[in-house]
């Protein structure tokens, strides 16, 4: 059973989910070793730097700046200090993976292989990693929207990104079966919230509305997504971290189980900000799927989780946060908790 004396490694710690999880666990008095290569530029890099600045205010946080796609022999000493590794580092984004696939091979496949092998060498007791709802691809259901379950076919990825995440799941299976490592993969569904990703629809829509920029709605906003608030994701990861089940290899969906269309997302953000959006429609892009909808029955059967955040409430919290953000410089003392 995990206790506060255990040390947890979080990779991708300056990313959206990595930061949010580290902040939560540090407040619970865990000791965290955060790993990140700090890739990026412009607003994306500034956001990463601000997240890292906040985490470095905690005495129980240590940071290691390293590219995990390149095997570093010194990392075995770092991993040997930890009891659990939570691997969140990756290149995100379905659409971008179809334009520039090489970083996804490096950061999502090579890095994953290096990290799970380090876990094996360092005898890590539990390895938790982020997979993605994109592994399901487009499920053909004659127009009906059905919850996606973990036992469905995931052998037909529709993007380079989804292929890399499926590859992660397969490699985790190999290490679990061959070496007995307890691996838990979490298929995350369209995560949003404060300090979120600037390339995802909630941020793009809200920022564009606030700056009176024209928004492009792909497929006329008809695509449906299971938008999942960040606190629900960190609660799920924390539950998997703290609660043990007797199974070496597991995969779970983490979502809200309450999907909405992209056009509904836009109209909800308009309402919460009190400003009308300017938008144009365009055709769907390569790699986009028509819908995602998570069945969370399996994870809720095995772990105790709070109810999912209501969509309207989550968007309201996100809009309240983003209105308080300066886009050129994130305020020196702002945190998720006081916005």
């Amino acid at each position: 059973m995990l206790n506060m004396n255990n040390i947890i490694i979080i990779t991708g710690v300056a990313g959206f989910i990595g930061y949010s999880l580290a902040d939560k666990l540090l407040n619970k008095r865990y000791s965290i070793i955060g790993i990140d290569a700090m890739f990026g530029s412009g607003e994306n890099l500034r956001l990463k730097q601000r997240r890292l600045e906040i985490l470095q205010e905690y005495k129980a946080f240590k940071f290691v700046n390293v590219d995990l796609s390149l095997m570093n022999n010194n990392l075995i000493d770092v991993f040997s200090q930890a009891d659990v590794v939570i691997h969140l580092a990756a290149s995100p984004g379905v659409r971008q993976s179809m334009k520039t696939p090489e970083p996804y091979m490096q950061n999502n496949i090579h890095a994953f292989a290096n990290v799970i092998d380090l876990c094996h060498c360092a005898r890590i007791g539990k390895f938790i990693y982020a997979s993605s709802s994109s592994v399901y691809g487009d499920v053909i259901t004659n127009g009906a929207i059905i919850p996606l379950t973990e036992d469905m076919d995931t052998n037909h990825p529709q993007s380079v990104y989804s292929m890399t995440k499926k590859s992660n799941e397969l490699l985790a299976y190999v290490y679990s079966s061959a070496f007995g490592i307890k691996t838990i993969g979490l298929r995350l569904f369209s995560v949003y919230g404060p300090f979120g990703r600037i390339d995802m629809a909630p941020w793009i829509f809200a920022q564009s509305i606030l700056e009176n920029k024209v928004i492009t709605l792909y497929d006329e906003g008809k695509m449906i997504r299971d938008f999942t608030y960040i606190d629900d994701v960190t609660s799920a990861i924390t539950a998997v971290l703290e609660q043990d089940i007797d199974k070496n290899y597991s995969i779970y969906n983490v979502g809200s189980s309450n999907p909405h269309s992209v056009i509904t997302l836009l109209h909800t953000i308009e309402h919460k900000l009190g400003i009308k959006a300017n938008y144009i429609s365009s055709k769907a892009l390569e790699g986009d799927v028509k819908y995602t909808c998570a069945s969370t029955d399996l994870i809720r059967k095995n772990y105790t989780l709070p109810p999912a955040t209501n969509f309207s409430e989550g968007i309201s919290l996100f809009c309240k946060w983003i209105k308080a953000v300066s886009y050129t410089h994130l305020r020196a003392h702002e945190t998720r908790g006081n916005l």
Side-chain angles (χ1 to χ4, degrees):
M1 181 66 67
L2 203 67
N3 61 60
M4 299 306 141
N5 295 319
N6 294 119
I7 295 175
I8 300 165
I9 286 177
I10 300 177
T11 72
V13 77
F16 172 32
I17 299 173
Y19 157 75
S20 303
L21 178 65
D23 187 48
K24 181 185 183 80
L25 295 180
L26 288 163
N27 275 298
K28 294 189 71 172
R29 302 291 186 259
Y30 285 105
S31 294
I32 303 294
I33 298 175
I35 298 176
D36 206 293
M38 300 303 288
F39 292 142
S41 60
E43 189 174 17
N44 184 42
L45 181 57
R46 287 194 295 272
L47 192 59
K48 284 186 174 183
Q49 291 168 336
R50 181 66 195 119
R51 294 178 186 129
L52 186 58
E53 287 171 4
I54 294 170
L55 295 177
Q56 288 177 322
E57 293 175 3
Y58 291 94
K59 291 182 179 179
F61 178 76
K62 295 180 180 179
F63 178 62
V64 179
N65 188 328
V66 67
D67 181 353
L68 290 167
S69 71
L70 306 173
M71 181 52 80
N72 185 327
N73 292 332
N74 294 329
L75 280 176
I76 189 64
D77 295 330
V78 176
F79 275 66
S80 295
Q81 300 174 50
D83 302 280
V84 179
V85 171
I86 304 173
H87 182 55
L88 303 174
S91 289
V94 167
R95 293 169 182 170
Q96 189 60 38
S97 75
M98 303 299 285
K99 299 175 183 177
T100 56
E102 181 55 31
Y104 290 80
M105 304 299 180
Q106 289 293 120
N107 300 328
N108 297 10
I109 296 180
H110 294 171
F112 187 93
N114 289 340
V115 169
I116 198 169
D117 196 60
L118 283 164
C119 290
H120 165 55
C121 294
R123 300 184 183 277
I124 297 296
K126 184 183 287 187
F127 175 63
I128 303 168
Y129 65 96
S131 186
S132 168
S133 62
S134 68
V135 300
Y136 290 106
D138 253 331
V139 179
I140 307 302
T141 59
N142 296 321
I145 296 173
I146 63 170
L148 303 170
T149 58
E150 291 85 347
D151 58 354
M152 285 182 170
D153 175 30
T154 56
N155 292 319
H156 300 89
Q158 292 183 219
S159 68
V160 172
Y161 174 73
S162 60
M163 177 276 295
T164 66
K165 289 300 184 178
K166 177 63 178 179
S167 297
N168 292 170
E169 294 180 359
L170 291 171
L171 190 56
Y173 179 81
V174 171
Y175 271 74
S176 287
S177 59
F179 304 118
I181 298 175
K182 181 172 285 189
T183 68
I184 304 101
L186 301 176
R187 292 174 177 168
L188 307 180
F189 283 68
S190 301
V191 187
Y192 73 96
F195 277 103
R197 279 171 44 196
I198 65 173
D199 63 319
M200 290 194 68
W203 185 298
I204 292 171
F205 290 175
Q207 183 172 350
S208 297
I209 290 170
L210 290 170
E211 297 182 351
N212 196 29
K213 293 181 178 178
V214 177
I215 295 165
T216 300
L217 272 186
Y218 296 103
D219 196 25
E220 300 178 336
K222 294 177 182 177
M223 290 179 292
I224 292 171
R225 294 290 180 267
D226 197 346
F227 296 106
T228 307
Y229 191 64
I230 181 61
D231 289 359
D232 298 334
V233 174
T234 58
S235 291
I237 298 174
T238 302
V240 170
L241 174 71
E242 295 179 338
Q243 303 168 35
D244 278 323
I245 64 170
D246 188 21
K247 192 175 182 182
N248 267 3
Y249 177 80
S250 305
I251 291 177
Y252 300 104
N253 290 334
V254 177
S256 70
S257 302
N258 184 26
H260 292 78
S261 67
V262 174
I263 189 68
T264 298
L265 170 69
L266 177 60
H267 291 328
T268 305
I269 292 174
E270 284 180 315
H271 174 69
K272 300 299 182 182
L273 294 177
I275 306 171
K276 292 292 292 182
N278 297 313
Y279 63 89
I280 59 173
S281 295
S282 181
K283 66 178 181 179
L285 298 180
E286 284 184 308
D288 284 344
V289 298
K290 291 181 175 61
Y291 84 88
T292 61
C293 175
S295 166
T296 58
D297 290 350
L298 186 61
I299 192 169
R300 290 185 179 278
K301 177 182 176 182
N302 287 282
Y303 298 96
T304 302
L305 298 177
T309 302
N310 174 272
F311 175 73
S312 178
E313 178 188 353
I315 295 299
S316 182
L317 290 168
F318 169 68
C319 288
K320 182 180 178 182
W321 176 82
I322 205 166
K323 282 196 294 186
V325 171
S326 164
Y327 294 114
T328 56
H329 181 72
L330 292 167
R331 288 198 294 265
H333 300 292
E334 110 187 333
T335 66
R336 289 176 62 238
N338 64 15
L339 289 175

